[in-house]
């Protein structure tokens, strides 16, 4: 069965600090997709990134970067020079492709508070 | 392109009633998935519809049902509401027919309160 763990329930940082959100997943499939979503106070989930299991290259997008390590089943997310607008709940999600149709499993989320 | 829309945004019902929530996916998207989000259980997958057929189903009781219309709009219905059904119900759309699967785009949600 697939499972996503985000051990950090809440994190508080001061603006301009770097912060890393951890994500550990479990799956029996060899082909799968990992995602990060942001949920601001408005409630709508915003897509941040998708990574497939065959692509272990790290990715950087502005202040955001992602570190995917299959050996440790982790897909961590780092925000560099955090800003107050980064305050939100961040979800890591896993989608296996073995089944037919969408089959997303979300982690419990990490609430990030960036203080001015 | 318009995003995913959900109506209504807020709903208050009493125990025993039933409720219908609506979701209009992004134009061209044929897959609609529904999720329930609660503080205790987090985001849980309810079901997915593709081309008017339920393609995948989560672990929820039969009181939760859905359907999809030919224009890809989807509705979910909860019958005999219980207090524990109070939650944010999120709808997500995606192309659904392409492998690898594209990311899902989420609507703003419907917040259901059961009194």
């Amino acid at each position: 069965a697939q499972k996503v763990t985000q051990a950090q329930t809440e994190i508080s940082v001061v603006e301009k600090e770097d912060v890393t959100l951890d994500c550990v997943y479990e799956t029996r499939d060899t082909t799968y997709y990992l995602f990060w979503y942001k949920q601001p106070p408005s409630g709508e989930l915003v897509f941040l990134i998708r990574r497939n299991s065959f692509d272990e290259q790290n990715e950087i997008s502005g202040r955001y970067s992602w570190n995917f390590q299959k050996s440790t089943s982790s897909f961590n997310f780092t925000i560099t020079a955090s800003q107050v607008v980064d305050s939100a709940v961040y979800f890591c999600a896993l989608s296996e492709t073995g089944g037919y149709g969408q089959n997303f499993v979300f982690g419990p989320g990490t609430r990030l508070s960036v203080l001015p | 392109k318009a995003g995913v829309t959900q109506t209504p945004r807020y709903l208050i019902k009493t125990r025993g009633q039933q409720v219908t929530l609506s979701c209009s996916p992004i134009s061209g998207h044929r897959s609609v998935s529904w999720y329930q989000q609660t503080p205790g259980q987090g985001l849980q997958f309810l079901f997915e519809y593709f081309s008017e057929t339920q393609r995948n189903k989560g672990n929820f009781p039969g009181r939760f049902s859905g359907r999809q219309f030919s224009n890809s709009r989807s509705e979910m219905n909860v019958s005999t509401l219980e207090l524990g059904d109070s939650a944010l119900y999120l709808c997500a759309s995606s192309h659904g027919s392409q492998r690898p699967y594209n990311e899902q785009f989420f609507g703003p949600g419907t917040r259901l309160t059961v009194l």
Side-chain angles (χ1 to χ4, degrees):
Chain A
Q2 51 183 348
K3 183 180 176 182
V4 176
T5 302
Q6 294 178 256
Q8 304 147 309
T9 306
E10 292 192 41
I11 301 177
S12 284
V13 299
V14 177
E15 211 172 13
K16 297 184 183 174
E17 282 185 10
D18 298 347
V19 58
T20 295
L21 310 182
D22 298 332
C23 172
V24 174
Y25 62 92
E26 291 177 30
T27 177
R28 294 178 188 165
D29 276 16
T30 55
T31 303
Y32 51 89
Y33 290 83
L34 295 163
F35 302 79
W36 275 95
Y37 283 86
K38 173 183 179 180
Q39 187 176 40
S42 61
E44 189 166 337
L45 280 161
V46 178
F47 166 80
L48 295 177
I49 190 172
R50 177 190 71 193
R51 172 69 69 219
N52 77 56
S53 53
F54 295 107
D55 183 2
E56 287 193 71
Q57 260 195 331
N58 291 332
E59 179 156 341
I60 298 175
S61 175
R63 296 185 297 107
Y64 296 168
S65 63
W66 290 269
N67 182 287
F68 176 32
Q69 292 195 345
K70 276 179 87 168
S71 60
T72 56
S73 297
S74 65
F75 185 43
N76 297 336
F77 172 33
T78 297
I79 301 175
T80 303
S82 59
Q83 299 176 1
V84 173
V85 293
D86 296 327
S87 296
V89 181
Y90 291 86
F91 292 94
C92 180
L94 166 69
S95 176
E96 293 172 340
T97 58
Y100 187 54
Q102 298 281 22
N103 186 15
F104 268 58
V105 170
F106 283 84
T110 296
R111 181 177 298 279
L112 173 65
S113 299
V114 181
L115 308 173
Chain B
K1 240 183 191 181
V4 179
T5 57
Q6 292 187 245
T7 56
R9 293 293 312 278
Y10 302 91
L11 208 48
I12 299 175
K13 292 285 188 178
T14 56
R15 278 183 301 174
Q17 287 187 309
Q18 75 163 24
V19 66
T20 299
L21 312 182
S22 180
C23 171
S24 292
I26 291 171
S27 178
H29 284 190
R30 294 164 64 191
S31 167
V32 173
S33 296
W34 288 90
Y35 294 84
Q36 181 196 65
Q37 185 177 23
T38 60
Q41 300 298 319
L43 269 162
Q44 293 186 286
F45 171 72
L46 280 155
F47 30 65
E48 182 216 2
Y49 284 86
F50 178 76
S51 290
E52 302 178 64
T53 301
Q54 188 180 86
R55 188 163 70 168
N56 219 343
K57 188 177 188 304
N59 190 25
F60 276 81
R63 300 185 297 106
F64 292 82
S65 63
R67 59 177 174 167
Q68 187 179 35
F69 303 95
S70 58
N71 62 358
S72 293
R73 189 178 70 85
S74 176
E75 289 181 348
M76 69 161 278
N77 184 277
V78 187
S79 62
T80 319
L81 284 166
E82 300 177 359
L83 295 178
D85 297 333
S86 295
L88 180 67
Y89 290 88
L90 291 163
C91 163
S93 81
S94 68
H95 286 290
S97 60
Q98 300 173 12
R99 287 181 182 267
Y101 290 116
N102 291 317
E103 61 272 15
Q104 296 185 88
F105 295 87
F106 283 81
T110 294
R111 185 162 296 282
L112 171 65
T113 302
V114 182
L115 303 176

